[in-house]
Amino acid sequence: MAKRRTADRGRSAVLEILATTTLLVAGSSGFVLGEATLGATPALASGGGPVAYVVNYESNSVTPIDVATNTAGTPITVGTNPRRIAITPNGATAYVTNLESNNVTPIDIATDTPETPIPVGTEPVGIAITPNGATAYVANDGDNSVTPIDLATNTTEPPIPVGANPQAIAITPNGATAYVASTVDNSVTPIDIATNTPGTPIAVGSGPIGIAITPDGATAYVTDGTGTTVTPIDIATGTPGTPITVGSEPHTIAITPDGTEAYVANFGSNSVTPIELATNTPGTPIPVGNGARGLAITPDGTTAYVTNYYDGTVTPIDIATNTAETPITVGSEPNEVAITPDEGPQAQLSVTPAPVGSPSSFDASASVAGSSPVTSYNWNFGDGNVATTDSATTTHTYSSAGSFTATVTETDSVGTSTSQVFTGQTVSRNGSAAAQDSDTFNIVACSAGVSCTASVSGGGQSSSATGTSTAASSMAMSQAADSLDCGKKDDYQTQVSTLQESSTFSSSEDISVTVVKSDEKTANGIKVCYQPVTSGATKPKFLKRCSSAVAAPCVDSITESGGSVTAIFEVLPGDPRFWVGGNELGLKSFSPTSGPVGTTVKITGASLGSVTAVEFGGTEVANTNVSVIKSGKSLTVTVPAGAQSGAVRVVGDGSVFTSELPFTVT
C-alpha cells in the first residue's frame, strides 16, 4: 500500500461524520484508509558514473578510464590498429573500428570483454550509432563506402557509396541523416538513413576528418584536417558557412551537451580550441600533449578528455576554466575516445488522494535512478498548479472535486530527463519518456450530503462503514475491548485502532487511536488514546473531550454496553486520517479496456488481496477465474459469459471498489 503523507491540521467549520462499525477482533486491529495504490514498484539500485574508453592505435587495445577518479583500467584487446569508437545509447556496448583488421569489435561494457568481430569494408575508420541504438554506421576509408550494422544482430547491411577516403561520420539527433566527411574529396556526403541513400556532397575545407552536430540538429561542424579551420554546415539547407579559424591540423571536434561550445583537438599545434557556438567565435587555445587527436566531453559538460597521440596520454580539461589537468597514461598512440552515456531516470508515481480541502500525497520515491541520482522533481497536479522540489514526495490540496491526472517529471544531477542529448556519434544524455509518470484519480468532497467511506480491518476480521457527513454528527467506532497496552498502566484494557497499515505516516500530526477501558483509574472507566506515530514521542496521550476550547480530533462521548466500547469522536471534514472519498479510489486501472467474453483482464489497485467478487457490468466472475498476484496489489480475471459493458467492480476487504471508466465487451 502506498505511504500516506501529511494530514490537514487547519481549522475550518467542523462538519462531523457519522459512521458506526462493529468489529470483533482477537488481538489488535487496524483502522485502514481505502487508498489508491498507483504504480509503485520497488526502487532499484542506480548505475555507476561515466567511463571514458580510449582507443590505442599502436597497442591494439582500448583503455577504460574511470571519470570520477581519472584512473585508467585494464586495457581491452581489440583488432589491429583500432581507430574510432562509439557507444550504444543504453551504455551496454562499445563498438571499435579496426583499420587493418577490416572489422568492428563489440565490447561488453558490463564486463569490459571483447566480443566476436564484425567484418565490414576495407580500412574502417569512423563510426556513429543512431540515437535509437538500432544501427551503427561505419566509414570505410579503403573502399569509399559506409557499412550499416544492425546492432540487434550485429550483422552488416549493403554498403553505401560515398566520397573518396571517408574518415568521419556523424548522425543528426533526430536519426534522419548521417553526414560522412571524405578527406580526399574535401566534402561531406549526407545519407538518408530511412533509405540508406547518399545525397549531393557538400564542399567544405581541406581534408575534412572530424564532424559533430549541435544537440538541436541545426548545424554540423567539420574539421578541415589539413588546414586550420572548422566549417559549419547549415543542416536545413545543406549550405556551408564561414570557416572558423582554430589551430593547425584540427582533428576531432566535440560539442558540449548544452550546445553552447565546441572543443577542437588541434593535432598539429598540440592544443584544443574552444568555440563559442552562438557567434562561432574561437577562444584562447588550451595547451595539451603532443598530437592532440581525439576528444570527448562528459555528459555533465564539466570535462573534456583529449588524447595525446605521441605521448600515450589523455589530458582532462576543466571546461569551467578551460585549463588542462594532469595527463592520464593509457596505451600507445591513443587515437579517439568515447564516454558512456548518462542513463535517465525511470519515474514511478504513487498518489494518495485526499478529499477536497485536505492535502493529497504524491510519492515518487519508488522511481528508478539511472546513472546519476534524481535531483529535481517537477510536479503537475492536473488542476493548473505546478511545483518543483528536490524531494521525491510532496503534497497538494485540491479546491474542488473531480478526476485529475497528476504528472511527475524527473531530472538527474547531470541534467538528463525526458529527452536525449546527441552530438553525432554517441548519445551523451540518454533521456526518455520514462522520466515522466502520470496517474489519474478522483478527488471527492467530504461535506454535507456527500458520502465518504472508511474501512476498519485487522486480526483477520474486517468491516467497512459508509456515512454521510452532516453538521450535527460525529464519527463513531464500536468494537470489543481487548487487553493490549496503550503505554499507560497495566490495569488498562485497550483496543488498538491504528489509522494506517504497516507503512507509517510521515507527519508528526498523524495519529493512532486506542479505545482504553480501565476498571478503576478513570471516572467513567473508558478513554481514547492519541499517539503521534512519527513525532519521536514514545508516551501516548489521551484525546480530550470536545469543547469550545478543544477542536477536532476530540472525544464527544464514550460508552460501554455488552462488552463493546463505542467511542464517538469528532474529526475535521475530509480528514484523510479517518476518511477517504468515493469507493472507486481502491481501483487504479485495468487492462485491456475492451474485449470479448473470455478476455484475460489485469486489475491493479489497493487491498485486492482478499477479493470476494469481481463484476463486469454487473455480471460476476466465478472465483475459479480470479488470480491474485503481486501481494494483493494486482489480480487477473476472465471476462465471464453474459458480461455487459460497464464498470468493473471489485469486492473485498470489506470494501467495494468501482472503476471510473467502463470495460467494453466486444
Side-chain angles (χ1 to χ4, degrees):
M1 181 175 287
K3 292 181 179 179
R4 290 188 172 274
R5 300 301 177 198
T6 54
D8 184 8
R9 297 286 288 181
R11 298 304 183 195
S12 61
V14 178
L15 298 177
E16 295 86 4
I17 301 172
L18 174 63
T20 302
T21 176
T22 301
L23 179 61
L24 301 178
V25 181
S28 64
S29 67
F31 191 101
V32 181
L33 299 175
E35 62 185 71
T37 299
L38 306 179
T41 59
L44 301 178
S46 62
V51 177
Y53 284 85
V54 181
V55 174
N56 305 304
Y57 180 79
E58 187 64 26
S59 299
N60 301 329
S61 66
V62 172
T63 300
I65 297 175
D66 184 336
V67 169
T69 62
N70 282 341
T71 303
T74 303
I76 306 161
T77 301
V78 290
T80 305
N81 297 137
R83 286 292 305 272
R84 301 200 183 195
I85 183 171
I87 299 172
T88 55
N90 63 3
T93 310
Y95 287 84
V96 182
T97 59
N98 303 304
L99 183 75
E100 299 300 329
S101 298
N102 299 326
N103 60 27
V104 171
T105 299
I107 297 174
D108 182 335
I109 286 179
T111 61
D112 281 346
T113 304
E115 299 178 342
T116 304
I118 306 164
V120 288
T122 304
E123 297 180 356
V125 180
I127 185 169
I129 295 175
T130 54
N132 64 4
T135 310
Y137 283 82
V138 179
N140 304 302
D141 180 70
D143 60 18
N144 306 328
S145 70
V146 169
T147 300
I149 300 174
D150 182 337
L151 298 187
T153 61
N154 281 348
T155 56
T156 58
E157 299 175 358
I160 306 164
V162 291
N165 298 107
Q167 290 279 315
I169 186 167
I171 298 170
T172 54
N174 63 5
T177 309
Y179 287 86
V180 184
S182 301
T183 56
V184 172
D185 285 355
N186 299 331
S187 67
V188 171
T189 301
I191 296 174
D192 183 333
I193 286 180
T195 62
N196 281 343
T197 305
T200 303
I202 304 166
V204 290
S206 174
I209 197 170
I211 184 169
I213 298 174
T214 52
D216 62 6
T219 309
Y221 286 84
V222 183
T223 59
D224 304 322
T226 58
T228 58
T229 60
V230 170
T231 301
I233 297 174
D234 184 323
I235 287 180
T237 63
T239 305
T242 303
I244 306 163
T245 300
V246 289
S248 173
E249 299 179 33
H251 196 275
T252 301
I253 182 170
I255 296 173
T256 55
D258 63 6
T260 61
E261 289 185 288
Y263 284 79
V264 181
N266 304 305
F267 184 76
S269 54
N270 304 328
S271 66
V272 170
T273 300
I275 300 174
E276 177 62 50
L277 297 186
T279 59
N280 283 345
T281 304
T284 303
I286 306 163
V288 289
N290 292 314
R293 196 173 183 93
L295 194 150
I297 297 172
T298 54
D300 63 4
T302 62
T303 309
Y305 285 83
V306 184
T307 64
N308 304 306
Y309 188 78
Y310 295 119
D311 291 345
T313 62
V314 171
T315 299
I317 295 175
D318 183 333
I319 286 179
T321 61
N322 280 343
T323 54
E325 299 178 345
T326 304
I328 305 160
T329 300
V330 289
S332 178
E333 298 182 3
N335 198 72
E336 295 289 341
V337 58
I339 300 175
T340 54
D342 182 74
E343 302 300 324
Q346 299 178 43
Q348 293 285 344
L349 175 60
S350 174
V351 179
T352 302
V356 170
S358 293
S360 294
S361 298
F362 301 81
D363 189 345
S365 58
S367 299
V368 180
S371 304
S372 307
V374 178
T375 55
S376 176
Y377 299 83
N378 183 270
W379 309 89
N380 186 322
F381 300 113
D383 62 349
N385 290 289
V386 297
T388 300
T389 67
D390 58 8
S391 169
T393 61
T394 192
T395 61
H396 176 66
T397 300
Y398 290 87
S399 60
S400 61
S403 179
F404 297 93
T405 298
T407 302
V408 63
T409 304
E410 300 175 355
T411 304
D412 70 17
S413 60
V414 168
T416 308
S417 185
T418 57
S419 60
Q420 282 185 330
V421 175
F422 183 69
T423 58
Q425 290 84 30
T426 293
V427 166
S428 180
R429 299 176 183 172
N430 193 30
S432 71
Q436 185 177 89
D437 192 30
S438 299
D439 275 304
T440 300
F441 49 91
N442 290 332
I443 297 294
V444 301
C446 287
S447 58
V450 178
S451 294
C452 293
T453 300
S455 295
V456 182
S457 66
Q461 301 282 335
S462 65
S463 64
S464 64
T466 300
T468 300
S469 62
T470 68
S473 61
S474 302
M475 187 171 116
M477 179 177 60
S478 175
Q479 53 195 21
D482 192 21
S483 54
L484 298 174
D485 188 10
C486 190
K488 287 291 182 179
K489 297 182 180 180
D490 291 338
D491 55 1
Y492 283 148
Q493 299 282 313
T494 66
Q495 172 64 48
V496 178
S497 177
T498 307
L499 302 185
Q500 79 283 334
E501 288 189 335
S502 58
S503 56
T504 59
F505 294 102
S506 64
S507 169
S508 62
E509 299 170 347
D510 296 317
I511 65 174
S512 64
V513 170
T514 302
V515 178
V516 180
K517 178 178 180 292
S518 171
D519 293 332
E520 55 186 65
K521 294 297 182 181
T522 58
N524 64 353
I526 303 169
K527 300 181 76 174
V528 174
C529 181
Y530 172 94
Q531 174 67 66
V533 295
T534 57
S535 65
T538 58
K539 183 178 180 181
K541 303 176 181 179
F542 288 100
L543 286 177
K544 295 181 179 180
R545 295 284 179 165
C546 297
S547 67
S548 59
V550 178
C554 56
V555 178
D556 271 338
S557 64
I558 306 173
T559 59
E560 180 183 12
S561 176
S564 181
V565 174
T566 299
I568 307 294
F569 53 99
E570 294 183 8
V571 298
L572 293 175
D575 189 330
R577 294 169 296 183
F578 296 86
W579 299 97
V580 293
N583 58 17
E584 65 272 357
L585 290 179
L587 189 64
K588 177 200 171 186
S589 65
F590 56 89
S591 179
T593 58
S594 64
V597 168
T599 298
T600 298
V601 177
K602 180 180 178 182
I603 299 173
T604 57
S607 302
L608 302 181
S610 301
V611 171
T612 57
V614 178
E615 297 177 0
F616 285 83
T619 302
E620 186 171 337
V621 178
N623 286 338
T624 56
N625 291 325
V626 178
S627 174
V628 179
I629 59 176
K630 292 188 178 178
S631 302
K633 302 302 184 184
S634 179
L635 56 88
T636 57
V637 300
T638 302
V639 178
Q644 303 294 317
S645 297
V648 177
R649 297 177 73 244
V650 178
V651 180
D653 283 346
S655 299
V656 178
F657 301 145
T658 306
S659 67
E660 178 184 359
L661 300 176
F663 180 89
T664 303
V665 179
T666 59

